[in-house]
Amino acid sequence: MSQSTIAQGTVATERPIVVLGAAPLTIADVVAVARAGARVELAPAALTALAASRADIERLANDTRPHYGVSTGFGALAKVQIPSEKRQQLQRSLIRSHAAGTGPEVEREVVRALMLLRLNTLASGRTGVRPVVAETYAAILNADIVPVVHEYGSLGCSGDLSPLAHCALTLMGEGEVRPTNDPYAAPVPAAEALAVHGIEPLVLAEKEGLALINGTDGMLGMLCLALHDLTALLTVADVAAAASVEALTGTDTVFAADLQALRPHPGQAAAAANMRAVLAGSGLVQRPTEGEFTRVQDAYSLRCAPQVHGAARDTAEHAARVAAAELRSAVDNPVVLPDGRVESNGNFHGAPVAYVLDFLAIAVADLASMSERRTDRFLDVSRNHGLPPFLAADAGLDSGLMIAQYTAAGIVSELKRLAVPASVDSIPSSAMQEDHVSMGWHAGRKLRRAVDGLTRVLGIELLASTRALDFRIAAGEGTPSPATGAVHALFRTRIAAPDVDAFLSPDLTAAHDFVASGAVLDAVTGAVAEPLG
């Protein structure tokens, strides 16, 4: 499974700090810890809340009545009362049995994100764990010890049990971890990595095993990372669409603000404004001229770009609102309430996150599909308005970008399959106690792959539009806008102008890198009068 690809951060010399328990986390906080190696700290108020709720759990642990997760078994075994002398074993058995992942390893950034989000819930003081549990979790994150978590194991309800159990194993000094970000280094035993950093393994007490695994943290972490990436990609899509309108000598009149205002979706207005900004000053777009016939309208993939890109933007805004609510949440079962009650609940169900992960996969697939259609127009002489077949320097002898479009089409086909919702599926588990699950983890996994695919498809479209500009300029048809000219110049730093066919794969890699690194947006930002929205 590919790692998300927009502007990946590196660990800085002075690591930023994210404080837990003082204010709600933000998406930027999640990205900072997951990708940029930010340190985490527990606010004094969080430690106070942890101690207070732990006192409530210890009071109930000595009660003669059964309390779920404190003195009983779990799931369908909740009716089994566990004697006090076996409760530490109960917690160990819970973690060991639930660490049942298999398949490829999950990306380092996803594991760090889910660990941060579990620690955030612990810091809320609503889970009943001892302060030392949260402090140990923070120490492991700050030591950059990353548990080995596997692709398969979570149903997204009761939270991401298996991925979180693999992380909880690390707190106990069990399982395997990656102590460095070297992808070629073999995992090491958790006990060995903890010892290097002087971190004492934990012996879990009542309720703590449940508190470490009962959360939607994996799917929420993937949502936060995807939203961060899509913030940039949605703007790149606007840039790519505008560049294609120009290089296909289309018209920009349809993007006028007063026309967009007739259908007042905020995302549509923002996308159209971006396209107007990118096309400002272009000598290639068709504009009405008195006494001359100009093209009346362009194909949907050009003309309707603000409507489609805008709908994707609005979908991302909705997903961001869901993420913000989740980042303010304390997801566990049971929870310790401020008045000392310990109550079972269903807040671990992943439906709210699973739905928006699926919504985003649909939007991503549609953005990529429209982008590929614009790429295809460049290659067809019946639709590319005077450009050579397949943008080849010597058509017939050369194939130009013929197979680049195949590559984009193959990716788009996969994105359409990935757009099939995971959240509509449910396979009952735990002897029908957990008879409706969210599959949100799987929705997150496929969205990550979809975001990577969109990045590549947009890179291919920009490869085509910048190549088309070479032919337009050489033919004296006009000059590009400052923004598209800046993108063209960027591409020419690694990709040659049209000439005899050469090895094409490196050009696709370079185009992807320009999009993924943020270089395309940097180039455009330096060339437009107003910042893109």
Side-chain angles (χ1 to χ4, degrees):
M1 188 71 68
S2 299
Q3 182 168 332
S4 290
T5 51
I6 297 298
Q8 297 291 335
T10 57
V11 177
T13 303
E14 294 184 7
R15 296 167 68 184
I17 296 174
V18 172
V19 180
L20 303 178
L25 283 179
T26 65
I27 290 174
D29 292 331
V30 176
V31 174
V33 172
R35 290 181 177 167
R39 292 179 56 82
V40 296
E41 290 183 1
L42 295 165
L47 294 172
T48 300
L50 281 159
S53 65
R54 184 62 200 175
D56 292 324
I57 291 296
E58 291 177 354
R59 171 177 52 82
L60 294 177
N62 296 319
D63 195 347
T64 57
R65 293 176 298 160
H67 297 280
Y68 177 66
V70 178
S71 56
T72 72
F74 310 108
L77 301 175
K79 296 178 181 179
V80 180
Q81 179 92 355
I82 307 298
S84 58
E85 67 272 14
K86 294 186 177 181
R87 290 176 190 167
Q88 287 184 353
Q89 178 60 42
L90 173 69
Q91 303 303 314
R92 286 195 297 273
S93 295
L94 173 71
I95 300 305
R96 290 169 175 170
S97 65
H98 283 52
T102 189
E105 288 184 38
V106 172
E107 303 85 1
R108 187 179 192 86
E109 65 175 39
V110 172
V111 179
R112 283 185 59 83
L114 75 87
M115 291 180 72
L116 168 69
L117 295 169
R118 182 68 336 215
L119 179 58
N120 188 50
T121 284
L122 299 182
S124 72
R126 302 277 69 85
T127 69
V129 303
R130 292 167 293 158
V132 69
V133 176
E135 291 169 331
T136 303
Y137 219 124
I140 291 170
L141 263 174
N142 290 337
D144 203 19
I145 297 170
V146 177
V148 172
V149 174
H150 298 279
E151 180 85 16
Y152 304 109
S154 175
L155 300 182
C157 186
S158 305
D160 293 314
L161 291 173
S162 179
L164 285 165
H166 280 273
C167 295
L169 272 182
T170 302
L171 272 74
M172 295 163 50
E174 300 182 18
E176 290 188 318
V177 301
R178 290 193 174 275
T180 73
N181 60 8
D182 180 358
Y184 301 105
V188 302
E192 178 182 313
L194 296 184
V196 168
H197 293 274
I199 300 171
E200 189 73 22
L202 290 176
V203 176
L204 301 180
E206 294 92 345
K207 175 63 175 66
E208 291 177 341
L210 268 184
L212 288 171
I213 66 174
N214 234 325
T216 53
D217 308 297
M219 64 184 88
L220 177 57
M222 289 186 280
L223 174 61
C224 291
L225 293 169
L227 284 169
H228 172 79
D229 293 348
L230 285 171
T231 298
L233 277 180
L234 286 163
T235 305
V236 173
D238 297 337
V239 170
S244 292
V245 168
E246 179 184 64
L248 288 165
T249 62
T251 177
D252 63 351
T253 57
V254 296
F255 309 131
D258 55 354
L259 289 174
Q260 303 302 316
L262 296 174
R263 195 183 193 190
H265 292 288
Q268 178 178 327
N274 284 345
M275 294 183 69
R276 291 195 304 272
V278 171
L279 291 171
S282 172
L284 285 167
V285 294
Q286 300 288 308
R287 297 189 174 100
T289 303
E290 190 69 30
E292 293 183 12
F293 180 83
T294 55
R295 199 178 313 161
V296 177
Q297 60 184 21
D298 294 312
Y300 287 6
S301 61
L302 304 171
R303 190 187 351 152
C304 301
Q307 286 74 19
V308 175
H309 294 189
R313 283 173 171 269
D314 292 342
T315 299
E317 282 296 317
H318 169 61
R321 288 192 295 272
V322 172
E326 290 288 308
L327 290 169
R328 298 193 302 271
S329 301
V331 177
D332 192 16
N333 181 50
V335 291
V336 183
L337 296 169
D339 62 7
R341 288 180 297 132
V342 178
E343 299 286 358
S344 291
N345 66 91
N347 285 335
F348 50 74
H349 200 288
V353 184
Y355 289 171
V356 294
L357 288 164
D358 280 335
F359 294 166
L360 288 173
I362 292 169
V364 164
D366 206 33
L367 285 172
S369 179
M370 192 176 226
S371 172
E372 183 276 329
R373 288 294 80 201
R374 293 189 294 262
T375 296
D376 184 66
R377 298 190 74 80
F378 279 111
L379 310 183
D380 183 355
V381 292
S382 67
R383 296 178 292 146
N384 67 13
H385 304 285
L387 294 168
F390 301 104
L391 298 180
D394 189 352
L397 179 64
D398 294 327
S399 296
L401 296 186
M402 179 190 294
I403 308 304
Q405 183 267 331
Y406 284 36
T407 302
I411 294 170
V412 168
S413 181
E414 180 175 5
L415 298 194
K416 292 176 181 178
R417 294 191 295 273
L418 293 171
V420 175
S423 57
V424 299
D425 188 28
S426 177
I427 298 178
S429 56
S430 193
M432 293 297 286
Q433 175 74 1
E434 298 166 8
D435 59 354
H436 184 276
V437 296
S438 77
M439 298 297 182
W441 172 268
H442 297 281
R445 298 308 295 160
K446 66 188 184 65
L447 178 59
R448 284 179 64 80
R449 190 168 182 86
V451 169
D452 177 74
L454 174 60
T455 308
R456 298 178 188 280
V457 170
L458 291 174
I460 292 170
E461 181 183 358
L462 287 167
L463 176 65
S465 67
T466 52
R467 189 177 178 99
L469 279 184
D470 287 309
F471 291 109
R472 300 289 187 200
I473 294 169
E477 296 181 39
T479 56
S481 75
T484 56
V487 175
H488 179 268
L490 170 69
F491 271 58
R492 288 298 160 264
T493 62
R494 288 179 59 185
I495 301 171
D499 198 352
V500 62
D501 277 356
F503 184 20
L504 188 56
S505 182
D507 291 350
L508 303 188
T509 299
H512 166 265
D513 291 347
F514 289 141
V515 174
S517 67
V520 167
L521 290 186
D522 288 344
V524 172
T525 298
V528 296
E530 297 291 334
L532 300 182

